[in-house]
Amino acid sequence: MKGFPDKPSYIIELLEGGVTLEDVIDGHICEQDQVEKSAFVVGDLGALMRQHACWQGLVPQLQPYYPVKCNSSPVVIEVLASLGLGFVCSNKAEVSLVLDHGVPPENIILSSAFKQLAHIKYAAKNRIQHLVCENEAELSKIARLHPDAKLLLQLTTEAHAAETSMPFGFSLKSCRHLLEMAKELGVQVVGAAFHIPSSCQDLQQAYNHALSDARCVFDMGLALGFNMNILDIGGGFTGSEFQLKQVESAVRPLLDAYFPQRSGVQVLAQPGCFYVASAFTLAVCVIGKEVVTHCWETLSQAEKNEDTEFLYYMNEGVYGSFSHKLLGSSITIPSAHKHALCAGEAVYPSSLWGPSLDQLDQVVERCLLPELIVGDWLLFSNMGTCGLEEFSCASISSQLPVYYTVFTSDWYEMQEAGVALDNAMKNFSMIQYSA
Ligand SMILES: *Cc1c(COP(=O)(O)O)cnc(C)c1O
């Protein structure tokens, strides 16, 4: 057999009949209870397709380009590639992964603020023409190593700069100079890109600025003789249908005004979280517990509950699966496995910590949970960007078992949409779930 003998294999369990995701999670918790009680992740691949349907239903005019950095699990890449998405890669490894899944080079964008020379060469060799570029130094590297590149100039936005406290992109002021330099160097510029993160408070204002700036870049580019035809409006889609509608209503009138369909400009977006967040659930085990009580004789039972606080230590923290917490992402409040069943159970203020005993390793500052004991499990939904697979080779999380599942009903629809997951070459195999 060709390829790497130790290439990991991916088993996808097909869920038939009344089997639910909770059943699958219960099953793995039982297994883990007999062994190491390791944290694990369960993926529901049908969620990727449902998010795609939601995207196409609400914003059919925005072509989705998935940023691989959000979750580079080969199973996710395979599904999204089969659904026809484009991909945004930030390095050579991501480009190579996406090419391996049969994505045509014209559907790949190489996007990172500072590109290693080898990665630019690799893009040139593999005929990946679309590169994002944001300053003169990058431009001269690209002109030298990849003269056939088609550049998208990355515009800065206040919202992006505020989130990262880094001045990403170029300002409108430096735009003419960058375009003139591209002209001199003989590199094609084909459009503009910007990114407004989901943390942005005033979406309307942010898109007003970004789209009118982008229009200016297009006008300057056209005046210099460039064929400006791609606009990339970046990411910032949380995954909720409600928020997608909000972005849509902020963006659509601006697109109609600045980039109407008859202008022939292809409009792309980079939904990352949107596609993957809801598809993965993380199960972690409670490995330690501390109780803090402030007991006053005169308090009623209810008030006493308020005054008892629990600190729980879990076997995953910000140096593992919750690393995105360090980047400012909020963590969904978990549910306690097998506790939801008894309604009316008392709940207590609780804080959740990773295993490192480091002050930074607080995963949830305060939430209300029933009293747990060491060995209980907590379930965190919306963990699709928790750094699965290659994305975070260095972190502990890459060693977590990931169990992929798909419901039969979703699977039929996915097959109709062209998804095939029983590919021996890629070490994917589908099996029936059995409890
Ligand atoms: C991370 C990132 C994205 C994806 O953002 P989401 O909020 O996950 O959709 C898009 N564009 C850029 C420039 C990014 O850095």
Side-chain angles (χ1 to χ4, degrees), residues 65-67 69-70 88 111 154 160 163-164 168 194-199 232-239 269-276 385:
Y65 272 63
Y66 174 73
K69 69 154 199 236
C70 286
V88 183
S111 158
Q154 177 88 32
H160 194 191
E163 190 198 51
T164 54
F168 272 118
F194 60 81
H195 176 59
I196 293 171
S198 58
S199 59
D232 174 357
I233 69 162
F237 308 92
T238 57
Q270 300 187 8
C273 284
F274 182 88
Y275 273 88
V276 290
T385 54

Side-chain angles (χ1 to χ4, degrees), residues 78-122:
E78 179 72 16
V79 172
L80 297 182
S82 315
L83 292 172
L85 269 75
F87 290 84
V88 183
C89 301
S90 49
N91 56 44
K92 182 174 155 181
E94 291 183 2
V95 172
S96 140
L97 172 71
V98 168
L99 286 172
D100 265 358
H101 288 268
V103 176
E106 54 278 18
N107 291 358
I108 300 174
I109 297 174
L110 180 64
S111 158
S112 66
F114 306 101
K115 297 174 197 62
Q116 286 186 40
L117 301 183
H119 300 183
I120 301 175
K121 283 187 200 159
Y122 185 77

Side-chain angles (χ1 to χ4, degrees), residues 214-241:
R215 185 65 248 174
C216 290
V217 177
F218 268 63
D219 290 339
M220 282 186 230
L222 290 169
L224 283 167
F226 289 118
N227 180 15
M228 304 289 280
N229 55 23
I230 300 178
L231 173 69
D232 174 357
I233 69 162
F237 308 92
T238 57
S240 91
E241 189 173 329

Side-chain angles (χ1 to χ4, degrees), residues 356-369:
S356 72
L357 299 183
D358 177 316
Q359 283 299 312
L360 275 179
D361 202 2
Q362 187 181 52
V363 176
V364 176
E365 192 181 323
R366 191 189 148 98
C367 61
L368 291 172
L369 287 174

